[in-house]
Amino acid sequence: MSPLAAAPADPTLKDFGSDPWWLIGGKVLVIFVFLVVTVLMTMWIERRVIGRMQLRVGPNRAGPQGLLQGLADGVKLALKEDIVPRQVDKVVFVLAPVMAAVPAFISFIIIPFGPTVSVFGHQTALQGTDLPVAVLLVLAMSSMAIYGIVLAGWSSMSPYSLLGGLRSSAQMISYEIAMGLSFVAVFMFAGSMSTSEIVAAQHDKWFVVLLLPSFVVYVITMMGESNRIPFDLPEGEGELVGGFHTEYSSLKFAMFFLAEYINLTTLSALATTMFLGGWRAPAPISTVWAGANSGWWPVLWFLIKIFLFIFFFIWLRGTLPRVRYDQLMKLGWKVLMPFSLGWIMLVATIRALRNDGYDMRQIVIVAAVAAAIVLVATVVWEMLRGGEDDKEIVPGAGRGERTEPAAGGFPVPPMDAPHYHGRAREPVRPATIETPPEEVTSGTH
């Protein structure tokens, strides 16, 4: 029998729930340690990569080449004084970091690392567990993490923290809808919401090839879900000091920090599972080497894909500026959601026609022509409108008429008000510099 035939089959839902207790505990411990170590590695990689992008050295003191910098930061945060402002809601203030960090750990339990392997003579899948609706568990945990950020902003009793929490609630809910819609096409092709079965459905062709628009939408939404540049509006150091965690310090701040980087790893692993074949080796390797997708080797391919995504996150942070909040909401509600709904309708139509026996080549040609027509019509419409949406709508603006300061919806005081706090104020005159007579006569300026 050939090695390929002797390799164990891909795990299915029936393979979960029968492991002994020591194996289940070992899987949970390995996932926890993996996430913590990945956070430390991601912090080091991020600082080194951005340092090279910005022509800086990066961390090079704590350990060889700064490898222990993340560990040093963790020790520093643990030893710092834990300051709790007097006016905060202490119960919610302490609970919020926990609600942000715990769902981040739970989400990774349904991510498959590899196929079925032998561990101390017991055949088990390299995955914590699996569910018929495993992907929905990740979305549910992401929704729970929103409560941690919102409650942190509300309980801090600080205007900056409150604004950061409100921004986060609107941003993450908006982009979760688009993220969920990007998964619908994957569910149609895989016929399941189980992560192990989604990976098994990509044995011959990855979904990134078949469902490229869904992959693009997910990549954009994963940046919005991670609260990182260019979508780091909940933190917004330039205008909100630190955002929702302004009043946090010591280990409470470290838990928010940990949750952000664990979410980065979870989102990268979910993208790998849904669109990049999961733990399967890329086509050149899998076609030449028959054992590339068996044994422990798939763990290596899985880790390579995850760190490529993490590098992509770091690259964006080092190159893109923060977007405006109205641009963020417009992209989520007016671009990603309508596009996702249209793409889902197109995928559902193609699947239905293929099931009825129609020629797929003709269907793809018709779909491409229809997409081209819609794209050209959209471009022509925008050209005819001349960018009217970008113009500021202020009554009387542009016609030489005097407008009130609050006419555009911004409650700002008028700059030339005759009274200020009940006291008369002299109008501001432009400053002038008088040149001494001796400098004028001598020609010195």
Side-chain angles (χ1 to χ4, degrees), residues 142-362:
S142 178
S143 301
M144 290 297 298
I146 299 176
Y147 284 99
I149 297 177
V150 174
L151 292 178
W154 178 82
S155 63
S156 296
M157 301 300 175
S158 168
Y160 297 115
S161 301
L162 180 60
L163 287 174
L166 292 176
R167 279 184 175 185
S168 177
S169 61
Q171 173 179 333
M172 298 182 73
I173 290 173
S174 302
Y175 279 76
E176 271 189 5
I177 298 174
M179 178 181 287
L181 292 175
S182 68
F183 292 155
V184 174
V186 176
F187 299 153
M188 290 181 182
F189 270 78
S192 174
M193 296 183 186
S194 164
T195 51
S196 60
E197 294 184 0
I198 289 174
V199 173
Q202 303 178 67
H203 66 279
D204 55 346
K205 187 175 293 185
W206 294 355
F207 286 156
V208 67
V209 178
L210 300 174
L211 304 172
L212 182 59
S214 295
F215 176 71
V216 173
V217 172
Y218 175 77
V219 169
I220 297 175
T221 55
M222 68 189 287
M223 291 187 292
E225 283 290 302
S226 62
N227 289 337
R228 288 170 60 89
I229 291 177
F231 296 155
D232 64 333
L233 277 303
E235 299 176 11
E237 294 89 349
E239 62 268 14
L240 297 182
V241 183
F244 61 91
H245 53 63
T246 299
E247 305 296 337
Y248 282 88
S249 60
S250 190
L251 284 178
K252 296 186 182 66
F253 175 79
M255 294 185 72
F256 283 116
F257 198 75
L258 185 68
E260 176 182 334
Y261 279 89
I262 292 178
N263 284 330
L264 195 67
T265 306
T266 302
L267 291 170
S268 302
L270 190 61
T272 301
T273 302
M274 301 292 287
F275 297 100
L276 299 183
W279 42 262
R280 297 186 181 277
I285 300 177
S286 59
T287 53
V288 176
W289 180 18
N293 291 326
S294 60
W296 294 87
W297 285 106
V299 178
L300 176 62
W301 320 132
F302 181 77
L303 293 178
I304 290 174
K305 295 175 185 178
I306 282 184
F307 279 101
L308 285 177
F309 264 105
I310 291 176
F311 175 78
F312 175 72
F313 272 105
I314 297 171
W315 186 16
L316 291 179
R317 177 178 179 178
T319 54
L320 294 181
R322 181 185 299 122
V323 300
R324 294 201 317 262
Y325 194 74
D326 59 325
Q327 294 172 338
L328 177 77
M329 290 291 103
K330 182 178 180 180
L331 177 63
W333 288 97
K334 294 186 176 182
V335 178
L336 296 180
M337 291 185 195
F339 177 80
S340 298
L341 291 173
W343 172 245
I344 291 171
M345 293 178 61
L346 179 61
V347 171
T349 302
I350 293 176
R351 295 285 293 179
L353 292 176
R354 191 179 71 170
N355 293 337
D356 291 341
Y358 286 89
D359 188 2
M360 289 302 300
R361 290 176 296 180
Q362 297 179 359

Side-chain angles (χ1 to χ4, degrees), residues 414-425:
M415 298 301 295
D416 55 348
H419 294 84
Y420 182 71
H421 289 295
R423 300 189 303 271
R425 189 180 65 176

